Amino acid sequence: MKDDEWQHHFDGYFSLLDFKTLRPDAVGFDLGCGSGRWAAGVAPKVGTLHCIDPAEAALAVAKRRLAGEGNVQFHLADAGAIPLADDSQDFGYSLGVLHHIPDTAKALKDAVAKLKPGAPFLVYLYYAFDQRPAWFRAAWKSSDVLRRGISKLPIRPRKAITSVIAATVYWPAAQASRIVERLGGNVDSLPLSSYRKYSFYTMRTDALDRFGTRLEQRFTKAQITGMMQAAGLENVRFRDGVPYWVSIGTKVFQ
C-alpha cells in the first residue's frame, strides 16, 4: 500500500503527464529508475514499462518492489546505451537523474531518440534558483562546498553524515516553516520550506541525494527549454510549483 506522502510526490512529478492520453497497451521507459519508486505508480497505468538503471544494486531493489507487476522489463544500462530501438516508445520519463550526468543535453537527446513521433517525455532537472533572491543562491553555494567533500566518502559514512544533516538542518527548517505558516506568514521564500509537508524519511533520502552525489548540475528554465528543443521535443511546458523544474515535451514529427 502506498502512503499519502508517496502519492503527493507522485502526483507532483507526474501532473504534466496525462496517462489517459496514452493507449492502454502503451510501451514506455523509466530512465534511471533507481529503486523503482516511481515505476511502482506508472506500471499499473500502462502496457509495458522498461526500467533502466546503471546500478545493479538499485535495479535489484526495483525488481523486488515491482515483483507483482508482470508488465515490467529491467535493463542494466546507462543513459548513453539505452537498450531500446529508436522511435519505438509511446512515452518516457527521467526524474532527478540527468543532472547527475556530465553531458545532460546529450543524455536527453539519446532518450528522446527512443520515442515515437508525438510521444511525451517527462523530465525533472535541478533548478538554478532562477526565481530566488541573491542570498538564497549564496546559501546554496556555501552548502555545495560541503557536498563536494561528503560525496567523496564511502557510502556508509556518506549515509551517516547526510542523516545528521537531515536531522540538524532539514528537520529544523521544516519545523520553522510550519510555525511561520501557522502564524499566517508566507513561507515560499524560506529555504527547505517544502519539507514542512514531508516525513523525516523523505528528508533523509533527499539529503543523501543532495549531498551524496559527486556531480550536481543545475539549470534555468530557459536552459532546460533549449536542451529539450535541441533534443527534438516541442510544446515544452513546465509545472508551476515545487519541485522545480519538472517539464514535459512531445517528440517532433519529422
Side-chain angles (χ1 to χ4, degrees):
M1 179 68 70
K2 302 178 182 68
D3 59 27
D4 292 340
E5 185 172 341
W6 177 92
Q7 192 66 56
H8 174 78
H9 286 299
F10 184 87
D11 292 344
Y13 282 115
F14 287 90
S15 60
L16 295 175
L17 179 56
D18 185 358
F19 289 99
K20 294 179 181 178
T21 64
L22 299 176
R23 295 166 32 175
D25 61 347
V27 178
F29 63 97
D30 179 337
L31 181 59
C33 68
S35 64
R37 184 183 186 189
W38 307 124
V42 175
K45 302 177 184 294
V46 301
T48 301
L49 180 64
H50 294 278
C51 285
I52 305 164
D53 201 275
E56 191 169 1
L59 209 59
V61 175
K63 288 179 180 179
R64 292 194 296 270
R65 173 173 281 172
L66 299 163
E69 303 291 344
N71 63 335
V72 181
Q73 297 182 26
F74 300 93
H75 307 273
L76 183 63
D78 61 29
I82 301 173
L84 302 172
D86 288 354
D87 304 311
S88 66
Q89 303 294 296
D90 297 303
F91 71 94
Y93 63 92
S94 184
L95 304 178
V97 174
L98 300 186
H99 45 234
H100 295 312
I101 295 176
D103 194 340
T104 299
K106 181 182 182 301
L108 183 58
K109 187 174 183 179
D110 290 342
V112 172
K114 306 305 175 183
L115 299 172
K116 296 176 182 178
F121 188 76
L122 180 74
V123 63
Y124 165 54
L125 297 173
Y126 282 164
Y127 76 126
F129 309 112
D130 324 20
Q131 75 282 50
R132 298 295 191 178
W135 66 265
F136 194 107
R137 294 192 293 272
W140 171 79
K141 287 183 178 180
S142 297
S143 71
D144 199 51
V145 174
L146 186 62
R147 176 193 64 79
R148 295 182 186 188
I150 294 172
S151 65
K152 296 177 182 178
L153 298 173
I155 185 61
R156 286 183 181 275
R158 220 185 315 161
K159 282 186 174 180
I161 292 173
T162 54
S163 292
V164 171
I165 291 174
T168 59
V169 179
Y170 282 62
W171 191 85
Q175 297 305 309
S177 293
R178 285 194 186 104
I179 294 171
V180 172
E181 188 173 49
R182 286 171 188 163
L183 295 175
N186 186 340
V187 300
D188 291 344
S189 63
L190 297 181
L192 304 174
S193 61
S194 63
Y195 288 93
R196 72 191 186 279
K197 301 177 180 178
Y198 303 151
S199 66
F200 182 71
Y201 173 83
T202 295
M203 297 178 199
R204 188 176 58 189
T205 300
D206 286 4
L208 178 60
D209 184 60
R210 168 67 180 88
F211 290 94
T213 307
R214 292 195 176 190
L215 177 62
E216 176 189 290
Q217 302 179 89
R218 290 182 175 269
F219 303 94
T220 65
K221 182 185 283 191
Q223 288 173 326
I224 295 171
T225 300
M227 286 193 297
M228 293 178 75
Q229 291 175 340
L233 295 170
E234 61 183 358
N235 303 319
V236 175
R237 296 182 290 124
F238 287 82
R239 183 176 188 272
D240 184 16
V242 178
Y244 304 108
W245 294 113
V246 175
S247 55
I248 194 170
T250 53
K251 185 173 180 179
V252 299
F253 288 87
Q254 296 179 342

